[in-house]
Amino acid sequence: MAVPFTAVGKTNPSQPQNPLLYYPRATQSGVVDLEELSERVSNSCSATPSDCYAVIIGLVTEISRSLDQGNIVRLGQLGSFQVSVQGTSSPTPEAVESKNISRSSIVFRPGKKLKNMLNELKFYKKK
């Protein structure tokens, strides 16, 4: 299989008089939801689709709890998750407090198997 892409035109906001330049952008060909994923996983093991569904839901709950406690969650070949924050500066380290944090996010770093998959991807231009 291959990943579809399209050409998307963009201008440089600081130089709007310059011509439009086109860049490749990956497009999605569908969605795989939790039920479908559970069904697919059950086809490759001895667990039922509902067992797989329950495990995935439980995994999300435990990842959330672990991140909430300040842990990095490493899931082997899948990758790792950790919390990241952005905020405003202060003149000294002592002045930095939780009120300086303006936004938090979850950072995902893919594992080796997923990184290798990226190196082997094929692409085709969608019309």
Side-chain angles (χ1 to χ4, degrees):
M1 294 305 268
V3 176
F5 72 93
T6 59
V8 176
K10 292 188 175 194
T11 59
N12 184 338
S14 63
Q15 299 172 343
Q17 72 282 1
N18 286 359
L20 211 58
L21 294 175
Y22 293 87
Y23 299 88
R25 172 159 297 156
T27 61
Q28 287 65 48
S29 57
V31 174
V32 177
D33 63 11
L34 189 53
E35 287 80 14
E36 176 69 19
L37 192 60
S38 298
E39 186 75 35
R40 290 180 183 188
V41 170
S42 76
N43 289 333
S44 63
C45 66
S46 61
T48 66
S50 56
D51 290 337
C52 294
Y53 185 92
V55 168
I56 294 169
I57 295 297
L59 183 62
V60 171
T61 300
E62 290 307 315
I63 289 171
S64 178
R65 284 184 186 153
S66 296
L67 291 174
D68 188 45
Q69 295 169 355
N71 295 311
I72 295 173
V73 179
R74 294 193 200 284
L75 299 175
Q77 293 183 19
L78 180 62
S80 64
F81 297 86
Q82 75 181 72
V83 172
S84 175
V85 296
Q86 291 180 343
T88 57
S89 63
S90 292
T92 64
E94 297 78 25
V96 176
E97 297 182 6
S98 62
K99 67 181 180 181
N100 290 83
I101 298 172
S102 58
R103 183 174 160 247
S104 60
S105 61
I106 296 173
V107 176
F108 172 71
R109 291 186 179 85
K112 190 173 183 177
K113 191 170 187 175
L114 290 178
K115 284 182 184 178
N116 289 341
M117 177 272 309
L118 289 173
N119 293 330
E120 297 170 7
L121 282 177
K122 304 282 187 249
F123 298 93
Y124 71 91
K125 190 170 184 178
K126 194 173 180 179
K127 296 181 183 200

